[in-house]
Amino acid sequence: MIRLERRPETSRIMLWLTPVLALVLTILVGMVLFAMLGKDPLQTVAVIFVSPFSDLYNLSELLVKATPLILIAIGLSLGFRAGIWNIGAEGQFTIGALAGGAVGLAFHGTDGLWLMPLMWITGCAAGMAWAAIPAFLRTRFGANEILVSLMLVYVATLLLSALVTGPLRDPDGFNFPESRLFEGSAAMPLLMEGTRAHIGFFAALVAAFVAWLLLGRHVVGFQIRLLGEAPRAARFAGFVEARVIWFCLLVSGGLAGLAGLFEATGPVGQLVPSLPVGYGFTAIIVAFLGRLNPLGIIIAGFVMAVTYLGGEAAEITMQLPNAVTAVFQGLLLFFLLGMDVLSTYRFRLRRRVREVA
Amino acid sequence: MTTTPLLQLDSLTRSFPGIVANNRIDLTVGPGTIHALLGENGAGKSTLVKMIYGALRPDSGRMRFDGRPYAPANPAAARATGVGMVFQHFSLFEAMTVAENIAVALPADLAGSDLPDRIRDVSASYGLVLDPFSRVDQLSVGERQRVEIVRCLLQSPRLIIMDEPTSVLTPGEVGRLFTVLRKLRDEGRSILYISHKLREIRNLCSHATILRRGRVVGTCDPGAETPESLAEMMIGNAVRRHIRKVQEPGAVRLSIDHLTLPAATEFGVDLKDISLDVRAGEIIGIAGVAGNGQDELMAALIGERRSATPDAVSLDGAPVGTLGPTRRRAMGMAFVPEERLGHGAAAAMSLTENTLISARGRRNLERRGVLDFGAAKRFAAEIVSAFNVATTAVTRQAGSLSGGNLQKFVIGREILQGPTVLIAAQPTWGVDAKSAAEIHTALDQLARAGAAILIISQDLDELLSICDRFAVLAGGTLSAPRASADVTVAEIGILMGGAAREQQDDAA
């Protein structure tokens, strides 16, 4: 008989091994799935995991995908550590792009180095403001931040549609629901000509580094971790739960808003209704895959970027349905959460106790 | 005369990761006897009775019940065979009535519409006064225990296991419980009585089996033993009872002045007009049965809940009633909450990180928000060595420590901050005798160094041995403090029970 037995202490090795195991299981199950779809499983896996590294352009696209994922996941991970569940990063991403982008559009044709930072600040502040709604409702009325932040995603998406079909519509755009292109001072500086990789990647690295310092060295990070581990002990320590809720939601909202602005002014280049493609939700998987640890999140962001690009490649070269990326990411989160039990429990083979006849 | 033993355990063994909780236990309970199972916390009593009650399976060994092989797969099978159990911690739904609570636990054929009548019958025949239709949250702790006992008796058990039944009762309630137990015995039922209260066992039990560290170390007739000899068998060496020499108290350090605080939750207790002064060099105890306002008082003193007025609590004359825990600590207060895991310490954090919970300010572990982990680590190591905390490293998680060691760590963390006022709830709850003595010595030394100490405890023996004076908390009201030297246990019982009865009359 196999039994699960609680480990006396959380296993450090398992903590880092489980994401790897989850990835391996995802690939194995994925292969079964491809075989059932009538595709050569090995070849499909090769396309998914090799093509993203095949040339410089594909590598730059990895940066494009990983940047918003890492930026958002870093913010979310702080809240997740404290047991504060911001599920609405997608909405904060959208609002950040919308508000910061509106500033860029308002100064259309104006040149100046001040414009880009102004747009960043606006985008970040707008993301914070959107996340402040669940923070206020939670701290003031005890409303569940999961539901409030999630529902606000749909409000944000509809607001984006309304504005790009109205006030923010490109006057020369033949009535298409899209804004002008971000040009000149309002366009995100690129890392390399001919690619879409932009300097927002450095912002993601800075955010990860600051989060690492905060969690490991600063009393604010300690408050966050203690509140997540033992809420009563946090109160005993003199920490105020409401302040931690505000902090975590504002930081995650701000980073998501910034990621949205980067996406709009960089790879996408304009405000369009299809701007939110799910980075805000995928970042939740990234946060957990990276063990809510800033360094882990950087790695996980790239792993997830690979599944995006590889999924696209598999769609094109193997004629797989485009749901394959979402299925892959879903499997990964599923196995990750399932394997997590191994860090606090271990399997024990135990002989059945003989029944005394 | 030889009779078939009712319960016979033969070489029962059960281990858990890192510990053999029961090592080849032999035990025989005869019919119609009250048999004591005696041992310190952690001796293996709970594990043993859980196996008898079918809640745990033994690794090896066998059991016989009434001469027949007995291997219950689960508690329901144990109950069907005739084994009942009354737990130390009640499993009752507070918002449901007595009858409903009993019905949910019984098999369907016993839970019919005549259940309230049968509850009345059983409670009347044993003198366990109980109204089947009163809601459990209206009942006192003693009455809740009656619900558990009646629930157990309705299934006509032949062996009743009672796990520390008196730990939550007032002395008067204990007397009534014993009357019931003796009546059950005279009917031919057997009782396996778990306790570490020696006086009770000598009074009640005709046989005793003593466990120490998972093994049977002796059997005896407790009536023929002295409390000292029983204790010696239990802990393996002579009991060291620390008796505090009263010293002349100094100026008032902690002053609680007409503290009134409404309950935070529906099932909480309102604190009503509590006043108490604790002077430098003094240890004052607050006795009382759990659930009479202890948690609420602790929250108000820590600052987890703020008082309405600043001077409801003051420290060396300075009002602190509206300040939070961090400000109070900065002014010299330190606290040991009742719950170690989850309140005083975080299980998944290292001992080093756990020092940061309360000692950031007074031990300079934080400078403008930046944590000094080197200093925290040194402080953790200092606690471990000064308080003999058994652990391999300060990087170990707090949850990996045994209860007693974690308690020593938490108390050490507070005492080594050099507080001027220390407030501790249940400082030796669940701690072995040796650690308890060490903790008492440390508290005594702190008081001698000029601190004022307030101890909230349900353990009367503890309070009487280390406190200079003590008061009783009942129904959210605090009695006037009395000197420990000239009060008897019976008097305290009257204080505890009397106040509780007064409250019931108010409610009626």
Side-chain angles (χ1 to χ4, degrees):
Chain A
M1 187 171 69
I2 302 172
R3 326 178 339 130
L4 271 181
E5 190 176 87
R6 202 176 174 86
R7 292 174 189 273
E9 210 160 342
T10 314
S11 163
R12 292 244 140 246
I13 300 166
M14 274 300 165
L15 215 54
W16 288 100
L17 203 59
T18 46
V20 179
L21 284 173
L23 193 60
V24 170
L25 280 172
T26 304
I27 292 171
L28 290 177
V29 172
M31 285 168 74
V32 172
L33 202 71
F34 301 142
M36 281 170 18
L37 287 167
K39 312 288 177 192
D40 178 354
L42 277 177
Q43 196 194 343
T44 314
V45 167
V47 167
I48 292 177
F49 285 93
V50 176
S51 62
F53 301 96
S54 56
D55 59 29
L56 196 62
Y57 181 78
N58 277 327
L59 285 173
S60 76
E61 281 296 291
L62 277 183
L63 285 187
V64 171
K65 301 280 183 198
T67 298
L69 290 175
I70 294 169
L71 209 48
I72 300 169
I74 290 288
L76 293 182
S77 70
L78 295 179
F80 292 172
R81 286 237 180 170
I84 296 155
W85 307 100
N86 177 6
I87 304 299
E90 187 81 349
Q92 295 135 24
F93 173 95
T94 306
I95 291 295
L98 191 56
V103 169
L105 295 170
F107 289 99
H108 175 69
T110 323
D111 260 333
L113 277 177
W114 50 271
L115 182 56
M116 199 79 234
L118 180 66
M119 290 165 70
W120 289 348
I121 291 166
T122 315
C124 185
M128 283 183 171
W130 209 242
I133 300 170
F136 173 74
L137 294 177
R138 161 87 193 258
T139 52
R140 184 72 180 74
F141 301 107
N144 183 320
E145 77 278 10
I146 301 177
L147 293 177
V148 176
S149 64
L150 182 62
M151 289 190 293
L152 283 172
V153 171
Y154 305 104
V155 178
T157 311
L158 292 171
L159 197 59
L160 174 68
S161 291
L163 290 180
V164 292
T165 50
L168 298 181
R169 189 173 51 195
D170 182 357
D172 312 317
F174 307 103
N175 260 349
F176 276 105
E178 50 189 40
S179 74
R180 284 186 214 268
L181 292 175
F182 294 108
E183 290 165 339
S185 299
M188 195 72 184
L190 297 178
L191 282 176
M192 198 193 307
E193 279 310 314
T195 69
R196 302 198 298 160
H198 54 83
I199 61 167
F201 181 64
F202 294 120
L205 292 184
V206 169
F209 181 69
V210 171
W212 177 74
L213 281 182
L214 195 72
L215 285 172
R217 290 276 164 267
H218 200 273
V219 71
V220 169
F222 183 69
Q223 292 190 21
I224 288 172
R225 292 193 293 133
L226 189 60
L227 187 66
E229 295 286 351
R232 277 187 83 193
R235 244 165 283 146
F236 178 64
F239 299 148
V240 182
E241 189 184 13
R243 278 191 217 147
V244 182
I245 293 173
W246 273 103
F247 179 84
C248 289
L249 281 168
L250 289 185
V251 168
S252 57
L255 289 178
L258 202 55
L261 181 77
F262 289 169
E263 194 65 14
T265 57
V268 175
Q270 63 187 142
L271 291 177
V272 287
S274 61
L275 181 76
V277 289
Y279 285 128
F281 294 118
T282 310
I284 297 169
I285 309 181
V286 172
F288 280 105
L289 188 63
R291 310 260 58 152
L292 306 182
N293 171 302
L295 177 67
I297 285 171
I298 294 177
I299 299 169
F302 277 101
V303 170
M304 208 52 85
V306 167
T307 66
Y308 268 118
L309 290 181
E312 277 174 26
E315 238 179 281
I316 296 162
T317 59
M318 304 296 293
Q319 283 83 49
L320 279 168
N322 68 356
V324 75
T325 309
V327 169
F328 232 75
Q329 292 175 351
L331 281 174
L332 190 56
L333 183 62
F334 173 81
F335 281 119
L336 188 70
L337 297 179
M339 299 299 282
D340 241 9
V341 82
L342 289 178
S343 57
T344 38
Y345 289 83
R346 60 186 164 204
F347 285 113
R348 261 293 160 85
L349 280 172
R350 179 184 282 280
R351 271 186 306 117
R352 269 188 88 88
V353 180
R354 252 183 307 126
E355 300 292 332
V356 185
Chain B
M1 188 182 80
T2 56
T3 51
T4 317
L6 183 65
L7 178 75
Q8 198 168 17
L9 310 184
D10 179 15
S11 199
L12 222 54
T13 296
R14 168 75 203 216
S15 48
F16 293 104
I19 183 171
V20 181
N22 279 174
N23 196 347
R24 304 180 72 80
I25 302 282
D26 297 327
L27 176 75
T28 304
V29 179
T33 56
I34 303 181
H35 192 114
L37 189 56
L38 198 57
E40 284 194 282
N41 288 303
K45 294 170 297 186
S46 299
T47 305
L48 186 63
V49 295
K50 277 182 191 161
M51 289 193 288
I52 299 171
Y53 192 55
L56 271 180
R57 299 280 204 94
D59 294 339
S60 65
R62 57 187 65 206
M63 296 187 266
R64 295 177 87 78
F65 189 82
D66 203 15
R68 280 186 290 278
Y70 171 67
N74 51 47
R79 287 195 294 266
T81 316
V83 177
M85 179 153 176
V86 176
F87 287 93
Q88 182 183 6
H89 300 287
F90 307 145
S91 48
L92 298 172
F93 299 102
E94 298 209 323
M96 290 167 71
T97 67
V98 170
E100 286 165 343
N101 263 291
I102 292 176
V104 292
L106 291 183
D109 58 314
L110 282 176
S113 57
D114 61 334
L115 184 62
D117 293 331
R118 283 191 291 125
I119 292 173
R120 280 205 193 88
D121 289 348
V122 169
S123 54
S125 61
Y126 292 100
L128 293 159
V129 183
L130 208 54
D131 173 8
F133 297 110
S134 51
R135 254 173 56 146
V136 167
D137 60 345
Q138 311 281 330
L139 302 184
S140 71
V141 180
E143 288 171 313
R144 290 178 197 210
Q145 188 178 53
R146 279 180 223 158
V147 179
E148 294 268 355
I149 296 174
V150 168
R151 177 155 82 182
C152 180
L153 290 178
L154 279 169
Q155 302 184 61
S156 319
R158 298 175 58 200
L159 174 69
I160 302 166
I161 303 169
M162 304 207 75
D163 190 1
E164 307 212 357
T166 59
S167 60
V168 291
L169 300 183
T170 61
E173 288 173 322
V174 170
R176 282 196 290 277
L177 174 70
F178 283 6
T179 311
V180 174
L181 296 184
R182 290 199 180 96
K183 189 167 160 73
L184 289 168
R185 176 197 62 195
D186 295 342
E187 290 176 352
R189 301 180 208 263
S190 299
I191 295 164
L192 187 58
Y193 188 88
I194 303 168
S195 182
H196 50 195
K197 297 192 177 169
L198 309 173
R199 235 168 302 156
E200 277 175 29
I201 284 172
R202 289 187 59 231
N203 193 340
L204 186 70
C205 305
S206 55
H207 299 79
T209 299
I210 297 128
L211 293 186
R212 194 196 311 155
R213 291 189 191 151
R215 290 172 183 276
V216 174
V217 293
T219 56
C220 63
D221 171 5
E225 302 283 334
T226 63
E228 288 73 23
S229 66
L230 283 174
E232 206 170 313
M233 278 195 266
M234 217 165 84
I235 63 176
N237 51 27
V239 192
R240 230 178 71 205
R241 168 140 290 186
H242 164 79
I243 305 284
R244 188 173 148 76
K245 289 184 196 70
V246 180
Q247 57 185 20
E248 199 54 43
V252 174
R253 299 213 94 147
L254 172 71
S255 171
I256 308 171
D257 186 23
H258 300 290
L259 170 67
T260 296
L261 197 64
T265 64
E266 194 189 341
F267 297 118
V269 175
D270 301 330
L271 296 179
K272 294 169 208 132
D273 199 27
I274 290 182
S275 295
L276 182 71
D277 286 343
V278 190
R279 294 167 177 277
E282 200 175 31
I283 303 182
I284 291 202
I286 293 185
V289 177
N292 272 290
Q294 286 90 342
D295 292 347
E296 287 80 2
L297 180 59
M298 198 65 195
L301 292 175
I302 294 173
E304 291 176 347
R305 287 195 67 204
R306 315 289 165 92
S307 314
T309 52
D311 51 8
V313 182
S314 29
L315 181 69
D316 290 328
V320 298
T322 50
L323 303 181
T326 306
R327 299 274 297 278
R328 293 191 194 193
R329 286 194 180 102
M331 295 172 73
M333 295 177 87
F335 317 97
V336 178
E338 176 176 342
E339 297 281 336
R340 297 178 279 256
L341 278 183
H343 196 182
M349 286 190 168
S350 69
L351 294 180
T352 300
E353 288 176 306
N354 268 291
T355 64
L356 296 170
I357 290 176
S358 70
R360 294 187 310 283
R362 292 185 71 82
R363 294 291 302 212
N364 292 321
L365 307 180
E366 174 195 339
R367 257 182 298 281
R368 286 205 248 144
V370 179
L371 300 172
D372 184 345
F373 274 91
K377 198 171 176 176
R378 284 191 296 278
F379 182 43
E382 186 186 330
I383 299 167
V384 166
S385 81
F387 282 80
N388 295 318
V389 180
T391 181
T392 49
V394 292
T395 50
R396 294 291 301 274
Q397 290 175 355
S400 71
L401 264 58
S402 74
N405 278 304
L406 185 58
Q407 181 71 352
K408 285 195 277 186
F409 181 83
V410 171
I411 292 208
R413 180 183 72 192
E414 303 305 322
I415 288 181
L416 290 181
Q417 294 179 42
T420 51
V421 169
L422 177 75
I423 297 157
Q426 307 280 22
T428 58
W429 193 66
V431 169
D432 63 86
K434 186 162 165 287
S435 302
E438 286 170 7
I439 288 170
H440 288 163
T441 308
L443 291 173
D444 178 49
Q445 282 169 355
L446 184 67
R448 278 172 201 288
I453 300 181
L454 183 65
I455 291 176
I456 302 175
S457 174
Q458 291 170 57
D459 186 341
L460 282 182
D461 290 339
E462 166 170 63
L463 291 175
L464 288 174
S465 69
I466 67 165
C467 296
D468 309 325
R469 294 188 295 151
F470 73 98
V472 175
L473 187 61
T477 312
L478 193 70
S479 75
R482 319 247 316 234
S484 309
D486 45 60
V487 72
T488 64
V489 175
E491 280 179 284
I492 302 164
I494 292 165
L495 273 175
M496 280 157 61
R501 259 196 300 282
E502 234 171 62
Q503 194 205 8
Q504 274 179 359
D505 293 343
D506 287 349

